[in-house]
Amino acid sequence: MLQSRSFVKKTKKGKVLKVVREHYLRDDIYSGSPLDPECDQDAVKLSASAPHYLIVDTNIVLQQMDFLEHQAVTDVIIMSVVLEEVKHRNQSIYQRLRTLCASDTKRFFVFANENHKETYIKQDPGETPNDRNDRAIRVGTAWYAQRLPQMKIYLLTNDADNRRKALGEQLDAMSVQAYAKLRTDTPELLDLVAQFGGQDLTDDPMAVDGQSSAPVANSGNQRGAKRKRVYDEHRPMSDIQNSIKSGTYHQGALRVSRFNPFEGWVGSESVGQDILISGRIDMNRALDGDVVAVELLPESQWRGASAHLPQADAESTTGVEEEDGDDPEGGHIAQVAPGEHLDDALPQDGALGNARPTGKVVGIIKRNWRTRGYCGSLQPQEERGGRGAQGVLFCPVERRFPKIRLQTRQAATLMDKRMVVVIDSWQADSMYPAGHYVRTLGVIGDKETETEVLLIENDINTSPFSPAVHACVPPLPWSVTQADLADPNREDLRHLPICSVDPPGCKDIDDALHVRELPSGNVELGVHIADVTNFLLPMTAMDDEASIRATTCYLVQRRIDMLPKPLTEDICSLRSNVERLAFSAIWEMTQDAQVLHVRFTKSVIKSQAALTYAEAQSRIDDERLHDTLSMNLRTMNRIAKILRKQRTARGALTLASPEVKFEIDTETHDPLDVGMYQVKEANHMVEEMMLLANITVADHILKHFPAQALLRRHPVPPPRQFEPLLKAAVAAGVSINPDTSLTLAASLDEAVRPEDSYFNKLIRIMATRCMTQAVYFGSGEVDPPDYLHYGLAAPLYTHFTSPIRR
């Protein structure tokens, strides 16, 4: 059956076109249920023994994904109209929905209602696209109810008008909250229901526009009618856009201080410097990372950054009851940190931070709330009787985020647990945002629990690799083949005295070194990098997964790999006495490290030793050892010192980022001792070789691919970023000159106190925090003067090394 669909679209030049497309309808699209005698068995996805089937509308998918992902929610029918609308509105949610549809245990079935001749509908004159889609879902629900009379079909929708129409059509429709209450076998489902302002989640099917037909108690997230606003309403987007164009408002991302969550900054090009946002009232429900519109306050109200950190009891700790109290103006919300007086934050002579542009948030341009949720725990409160839901406050572990209001029936159980919570909404009459419980991580203080918190807070993907990814990995045991040795583009370097130097316990060895004297008296130096791309092919499942993970993450007791372990620990790892494929950079240089020639080749190598830094250092220091390996290490160390001296003379910075070293029990994996990681000459030796390789490769690829070489640059920090360092230096009686990297490096060397051996390291730590973030870029994206890597004082730089982990 052929239908035609027409719509209009606007071209880039502003011309309006009418587009007519053919739309084919079929009668052989199956229901996916084994209870349907006409359903092909190969198309069956739903269970015959399910107590009921669920059909959900688009908003349920977009707003209640945590609910749908719960293991107890199964046998769900997704109309194709819902799938397409979710795809266009939220790609993240769409991918999660596709995962549910692909799961055999969840039994989510996609029904092509838009292509079935009995469920396809045309848009009526005057009908909005949203109303047409709601009607299409109801028609699909009615088709299932008629097709499967022996099975209960529930339509879940939080749209009261849609529910009323469905009930008028003799369909079983209810809100997601009402359905959760029906599931007495899984009471925790109620905690997963997301609460959105203005939505009607009551059990009253006749409620319209958020107003129930019967009085309801002011409990949970049903806001009291008499509540007055705490925050100003956000300006309409049209007003915001016009005011930004006129210069009245300023746009930027809010950065909340890690140390004082009552202060934030918004970078603004129009103002020329960061705008201070002081106090939660002026933040006006914006969270760290939100793109906001800011209105500057009068200059008489400008202030400097607060000189004090907030007290531990900066926010009230009495629980949620105060939210429903008689303080509608929100006067108890700190304008600055509670415990300090407002006058203390105003600029004073000699006070920290003179007056600077200060503003208030008037609108949210883009919300950047975490879809993965926030980790934390419940705020302690007095235990209450009753078994119903109660209001609690959730405290995120990251102090930059405000507390979150929750409704839960598990308060007593969750009080000593770490958990994940998602923010649903933040109304102007609420001191805190409203959210819902997602899952429990474990007991507070437990090692595995706190590790999981750390990973979630940093958005680290810990899920196992899929079978499709593992299918891209060659089977074990793997070895170099004759075809590899016969490859004319791959050189046999197995005869070279190659070794690797890595931290103890390192299994993913992706670089190795060699050096040897040439008959001419010069030195041959080689850096050999694991040839990962021989196995990681483009446009494969492993390539896609690696691009998402981007890097390997190292923790004290575990490693989260970018690539599957058979690759990282075996096939690509340059282990000793094993033949492996590599990509080699080989230099000929004079004895004083002047490079004469460099060549690059794919290679086959056989490392003669896999050393730790301590083992390599021991061989370097022990003058009694005259074997080839020890002598080569001393030669490499001598060359590395020359290279380091040359870099320092160009202005390379030696900054401080102290690493902590844990001693771990081999059986329990519990920490036994902690100390500072000692950097040895061997560490610097390997570092210099890797830097030489990366700088040389950057120069080589830029010559061959001038418009599309993948490089890495470190932008010069703007002068304002050095202000904290300069103020601290003046107070300490030392002088820092940040005009260039060379002057900065020299002044850091001179910033010493004979009586305080740690002082110079402290100054270098502060200098590290003044730096900008190094970034990857394509050579055609920026002007050549901007290719500079400021910290390394290198005109060109890239990441050729460490392909196993980045």
Side-chain angles (χ1 to χ4, degrees):
M1 183 177 177
L2 179 64
Q3 295 278 339
S4 63
R5 301 174 64 183
S6 63
F7 58 92
V8 293
K9 72 174 185 178
K10 194 174 184 179
T11 66
K12 292 182 178 179
K13 295 183 178 180
K15 187 177 180 180
V16 178
L17 298 177
K18 182 177 181 179
V19 180
V20 179
R21 289 182 179 170
E22 293 180 339
H23 188 75
Y24 291 91
L25 303 180
R26 300 165 54 180
D27 58 4
D28 59 346
I29 297 176
Y30 303 113
S31 63
S33 173
L35 300 177
D36 184 354
E38 297 183 16
C39 181
D40 190 305
Q41 290 303 306
D42 292 337
V44 168
K45 186 70 177 285
L46 303 169
S47 171
S49 58
H52 51 259
Y53 293 161
L54 297 178
I55 295 178
V56 295
D57 69 4
T58 304
N59 284 331
I60 293 294
V61 176
L62 290 173
Q63 299 171 352
Q64 307 290 344
M65 182 53 71
D66 293 320
F67 176 89
L68 294 176
E69 288 175 332
H70 191 276
Q71 60 185 5
V73 180
T74 59
D75 297 284
V76 179
I77 299 163
I78 305 294
M79 301 289 173
S80 60
V81 66
V82 172
L83 191 68
E84 285 301 309
E85 193 171 358
V86 171
K87 180 179 180 180
H88 288 102
R89 291 177 61 179
N90 192 313
Q91 271 294 317
S92 175
I93 296 295
Y94 174 73
Q95 292 301 329
R96 292 168 69 181
L97 180 59
R98 294 297 304 183
T99 300
L100 290 177
C101 294
S103 170
D104 292 331
T105 58
K106 292 288 289 179
R107 301 189 296 278
F108 275 51
F109 177 73
V110 178
F111 176 63
N113 69 299
E114 293 291 85
N115 296 97
H116 197 296
K117 70 176 185 179
E118 295 180 14
T119 57
Y120 173 75
I121 62 171
K122 289 186 176 181
Q123 186 172 344
D124 291 338
E127 188 177 37
T128 66
N130 184 65
D131 287 343
R132 182 264 170 200
N133 290 345
D134 284 345
R135 185 161 60 91
I137 295 170
R138 296 197 301 273
V139 170
T141 304
W143 184 85
Y144 265 94
Q146 182 180 5
R147 193 86 174 179
L148 307 171
Q150 68 274 50
M151 176 62 67
K152 201 74 171 174
I153 309 293
Y154 290 136
L155 171 60
L156 298 190
T157 174
N158 285 341
D159 185 326
D161 186 54
N162 194 24
R163 283 205 305 275
R164 188 183 69 249
K165 291 177 180 178
L167 291 170
E169 296 167 9
Q170 306 305 309
L171 302 175
D172 287 318
M174 65 184 71
S175 70
V176 67
Q177 190 173 46
Y179 173 74
K181 290 180 178 179
L182 285 180
R183 294 294 302 271
T184 54
D185 59 317
T186 318
E188 65 267 23
L189 280 178
L190 270 169
D191 288 355
L192 294 172
V193 176
Q195 309 289 344
F196 289 86
Q199 279 194 346
D200 174 52
L201 301 181
T202 68
D203 299 340
D204 185 354
M206 303 308 292
V208 182
D209 298 329
Q211 300 298 323
S212 175
S213 60
V216 291
N218 179 23
S219 62
N221 283 303
Q222 304 298 322
R223 312 297 300 160
K226 294 184 179 181
R227 286 191 55 84
K228 297 182 181 179
R229 72 169 187 262
V230 177
Y231 301 96
D232 290 337
E233 294 288 352
H234 292 148
R235 302 295 301 164
M237 189 56 66
S238 57
D239 289 358
I240 290 174
Q241 292 172 344
N242 292 333
S243 298
I244 289 175
K245 289 180 181 178
S246 66
T248 306
Y249 294 165
H250 308 276
Q251 176 179 334
L254 176 65
R255 309 188 313 275
V256 178
S257 169
R258 287 181 178 273
F259 308 104
N260 185 353
F262 301 95
E263 276 187 351
W265 307 88
V266 174
S268 172
E269 294 182 1
S270 55
V271 175
Q273 57 180 306
D274 288 348
I275 301 171
L276 172 66
I277 311 295
S278 183
R280 286 271 167 81
I281 291 292
D282 284 348
M283 288 185 189
N284 197 5
R285 295 171 285 153
L287 267 62
D288 181 77
D290 287 348
V291 179
V292 299
V294 175
E295 180 181 23
L296 285 178
L297 298 175
E299 284 196 42
S300 60
Q301 297 181 32
W302 288 9
R303 61 184 64 147
S306 174
H308 308 285
L309 293 180
Q311 303 297 319
D313 58 349
E315 296 184 69
S316 76
T317 57
T318 58
V320 188
E321 297 89 347
E322 62 189 34
E323 178 132 322
D324 297 315
D326 299 323
D327 193 6
E329 299 303 325
H332 54 291
I333 301 179
Q335 184 66 15
V336 291
E340 64 177 274
H341 297 290
L342 180 61
D343 292 341
D344 292 340
L346 296 176
Q348 300 173 2
D349 294 337
L352 175 64
N354 293 326
R356 57 193 310 155
T358 307
K360 64 179 181 180
V361 173
V362 294
I364 310 293
I365 297 172
K366 182 183 178 182
R367 282 288 191 194
N368 281 311
W369 292 347
R370 292 182 186 170
T371 56
R372 67 182 186 274
Y374 303 85
C375 297
S377 53
L378 298 184
Q379 179 172 285
Q381 63 182 30
E382 294 181 4
E383 189 171 343
R384 306 178 199 173
R387 303 178 63 181
Q390 65 181 81
V392 292
L393 281 179
F394 169 85
C395 303
V397 294
E398 175 58 72
R399 293 187 62 208
R400 290 179 297 173
F401 301 109
K403 296 174 183 176
I404 302 170
R405 292 190 302 107
L406 299 179
Q407 290 289 312
T408 179
R409 287 158 174 75
Q410 309 174 69
T413 305
L414 295 174
M415 200 54 69
D416 64 340
K417 303 292 194 300
R418 291 285 191 209
M419 49 195 277
V420 178
V421 164
V422 167
I423 294 178
D424 299 327
S425 63
W426 196 345
Q427 301 302 308
D429 64 353
S430 173
M431 186 200 306
Y432 305 113
H436 68 272
Y437 162 89
V438 176
R439 60 191 172 103
T440 300
L441 300 176
V443 178
I444 296 173
D446 176 73
K447 181 178 60 180
E448 294 303 321
T449 299
E450 299 301 339
T451 299
E452 187 70 11
V453 169
L454 184 67
L455 293 170
I456 294 173
E457 284 295 301
N458 288 278
D459 200 15
I460 306 301
N461 183 0
T462 60
S463 59
F465 290 102
S466 67
V469 172
H470 282 291
C472 299
V473 181
L476 296 177
W478 179 91
S479 61
V480 173
T481 65
Q482 286 300 316
D484 295 322
L485 294 171
D487 185 349
N489 297 315
R490 193 175 292 279
E491 193 171 337
D492 188 350
L493 302 180
R494 291 176 293 175
H495 62 285
L496 293 178
I498 296 172
C499 69
S500 62
V501 184
D502 292 282
C506 179
K507 296 181 179 179
D508 52 341
I509 304 172
D510 53 11
D511 58 73
L513 309 168
H514 93 269
V515 69
R516 64 175 178 171
E517 300 281 340
L518 298 176
S520 62
N522 293 328
V523 175
E524 179 184 88
L525 175 69
V527 172
H528 311 274
I529 304 300
D531 190 3
V532 176
T533 51
N534 187 78
F535 309 96
L536 180 59
L537 303 179
M539 309 300 291
T540 60
M542 186 160 64
D543 182 36
D544 292 340
E545 184 68 23
S547 68
I548 294 171
R549 299 195 180 214
T551 184
T552 293
C553 299
Y554 295 88
L555 299 174
V556 173
Q557 77 280 27
R558 63 186 286 201
R559 185 183 77 235
I560 298 95
D561 288 305
M562 180 185 76
L563 297 170
K565 274 185 170 53
L567 270 185
T568 62
E569 295 186 358
D570 192 332
I571 298 173
C572 290
S573 184
L574 307 182
R575 299 179 296 159
S576 62
N577 299 314
V578 179
E579 295 176 357
R580 286 293 179 257
L581 304 182
F583 207 117
S584 303
I586 302 173
W587 296 264
E588 180 181 348
M589 58 178 59
T590 63
Q591 292 290 342
D592 58 354
Q594 297 300 315
V595 175
L596 303 175
H597 173 70
V598 63
R599 64 188 179 93
F600 303 94
T601 179
K602 289 188 174 183
S603 60
V604 179
I605 68 170
K606 185 175 182 180
S607 174
Q608 296 182 4
L611 305 175
T612 66
Y613 287 119
E615 291 170 344
Q617 190 65 49
S618 177
R619 286 179 174 270
I620 292 171
D621 294 339
D622 192 345
E623 298 291 344
R624 297 171 298 175
L625 298 177
H626 298 285
D627 59 283
T628 302
L629 179 58
S630 300
M631 297 296 289
N632 288 348
L633 286 170
R634 293 190 192 106
T635 302
M636 280 190 283
N637 191 44
R638 179 178 59 81
I639 293 173
K641 288 181 178 179
I642 298 173
L643 294 173
R644 189 176 184 85
K645 186 175 181 180
Q646 291 173 352
R647 284 198 310 110
T648 303
R650 293 195 302 266
L653 298 175
T654 303
L655 301 175
S657 182
E659 294 185 29
V660 177
K661 179 182 178 181
F662 289 88
E663 182 182 342
I664 302 296
D665 188 289
T666 55
E667 294 184 0
T668 65
H669 299 288
D670 289 332
L672 301 176
D673 196 11
V674 62
M676 298 303 295
Y677 182 76
Q678 298 299 318
V679 178
K680 307 176 186 298
E681 281 188 358
N683 297 74
H684 292 309
M685 177 188 75
V686 174
E687 178 187 8
E688 291 302 324
M689 300 306 168
M690 299 303 111
L691 291 176
L692 176 63
N694 288 334
I695 291 171
T696 307
V697 169
D699 181 70
H700 187 75
I701 63 175
L702 184 62
K703 288 178 180 177
H704 288 77
F705 305 99
Q708 54 192 21
L710 178 61
L711 304 175
R712 187 165 174 84
R713 66 191 182 98
H714 182 200
V716 179
R720 62 181 173 81
Q721 289 192 208
F722 286 106
E723 289 179 5
L725 173 64
L726 297 178
K727 289 177 181 178
V730 169
V734 297
S735 176
I736 299 294
N737 184 354
D739 291 346
T740 66
S741 63
L742 186 60
T743 60
L744 177 60
S747 59
L748 287 174
D749 289 339
E750 296 171 0
V752 295
R753 281 180 175 174
E755 73 281 3
D756 188 352
S757 59
Y758 193 75
F759 178 76
N760 185 258
K761 180 172 285 189
L762 181 61
I763 289 292
R764 292 182 188 275
I765 291 174
M766 294 190 67
T768 303
R769 295 184 176 180
C770 298
M771 296 296 109
T772 53
Q773 181 71 45
V775 293
Y776 294 104
F777 71 102
S779 52
E781 297 175 0
V782 299
D783 296 329
D786 294 329
Y787 292 177
L788 172 73
H789 195 291
Y790 176 82
L792 298 175
L796 293 172
Y797 193 68
T798 192
H799 275 158
F800 165 65
T801 57
S802 302
I804 285 180
R805 62 180 176 86
R806 63 184 172 205

